[in-house]
Amino acid sequence: MADMRRRIPEPPPGMPEIQFKPGMANELMVELAPLLAEEGIDINNIDVDDVDTLQHAMNRAIERRNMALFTPVGEVRQIAVVTLWLIVEAILDQIQPESPDNTVATVASCIGIALGLLDEWLSGQDTSAPADLAAHTALPAGHWTGERAATHVLVLAGKGRAFRSLHTLITGQGSPQLLAGSALALAAVTDAWARLDDTLRPELVRAIIR
């Protein structure tokens, strides 16, 4: 697990990086085909004269695809949860006292789970979380990869809006930073929860991150 500590503050986020991957458009259309079919559009026989209808259908299909990516279930969710355990435990160990075959965790699944849990814990939806958990949560001292994203995530999660703000967070922070920030925020909240409940952090990590 890479060390997420930094010697200096994070630089401002740069422009989104655009990479060209041959065949990516075709792969995306294959994934969207069943969703577009539900909208009455056959990708093998697209009516180019009705651009507005096609665009609206594409927008809805992409939104549904993204929601599925960020909301894993079953075995896929468990794989991502275990990955989050390892990331959070690695971060907590550094805090001073003061995939196509679904065999690996994806960035999307880890971010989605982390934001969903943070929304529940900090907005009061999860009654098992300590009262005023948000008020007792602070990022660990020092500089960390993803700290800027983590700050935004904690504010939104306190209102129960982190998951709903996925598009804005990814656009503003980028997926790599949001993944690091989500894990960092998860670790900070877990640390506060452990202190408030006087619980061992390793035990708590695996009890509440599910």
Side-chain angles (χ1 to χ4, degrees):
M1 187 68 62
D3 190 343
M4 290 177 59
R5 282 188 176 276
R6 295 179 56 89
R7 293 180 179 274
I8 58 175
E10 284 186 305
M15 294 293 292
E17 182 179 346
I18 299 176
Q19 296 181 341
F20 175 71
K21 180 182 176 183
M24 187 174 182
N26 290 335
E27 292 177 7
L28 177 61
M29 289 304 293
V30 170
E31 289 185 43
L32 295 179
L35 300 176
L36 289 172
E38 294 179 18
E39 300 280 347
I41 294 177
D42 180 358
I43 64 170
N44 296 312
N45 186 26
I46 295 178
D47 183 2
V48 295
D49 293 329
D50 194 355
V51 177
D52 288 340
T53 298
L54 175 61
Q55 186 61 59
H56 288 312
M58 283 288 292
N59 291 344
R60 287 191 293 270
I62 290 174
E63 182 178 359
R64 289 177 60 190
R65 171 184 174 272
N66 288 341
M67 187 59 64
L69 288 175
F70 285 93
T71 315
V73 296
E75 184 178 355
V76 179
R77 180 182 179 88
Q78 188 56 36
I79 291 170
V81 163
V82 171
T83 300
L84 284 171
W85 286 350
L86 298 175
I87 295 173
V88 171
E89 287 172 350
I91 293 173
L92 289 175
D93 284 343
Q94 299 176 58
I95 296 177
Q96 300 303 312
E98 97 116 346
S99 89
D101 55 359
N102 293 329
T103 58
V104 296
T106 65
V107 170
S109 60
C110 288
I111 290 174
I113 292 171
L115 297 186
L117 289 173
L118 290 167
D119 276 343
E120 293 177 4
W121 296 345
L122 298 185
S123 67
Q125 299 174 47
D126 186 342
T127 55
S128 67
D132 296 324
L133 181 56
H136 291 87
T137 297
L139 296 181
H143 301 299
W144 297 78
T145 298
E147 61 183 291
R148 183 180 291 103
T151 300
H152 287 293
V153 166
L154 289 174
V155 171
L156 289 167
K159 305 172 184 177
R161 290 169 38 200
F163 189 88
R164 283 185 289 164
S165 303
L166 262 171
H167 178 73
T168 301
L169 287 168
I170 291 175
T171 302
Q173 305 294 332
S175 292
Q177 293 300 107
L178 182 55
L179 174 60
S182 298
L184 183 60
L186 208 59
V189 174
T190 301
D191 183 55
W193 189 327
R195 285 187 280 103
L196 290 170
D197 278 5
D198 194 22
T199 304
L200 294 176
R201 295 184 303 189
E203 295 179 3
L204 186 63
V205 166
R206 294 172 184 253
I208 64 176
I209 300 178
R210 296 191 173 279

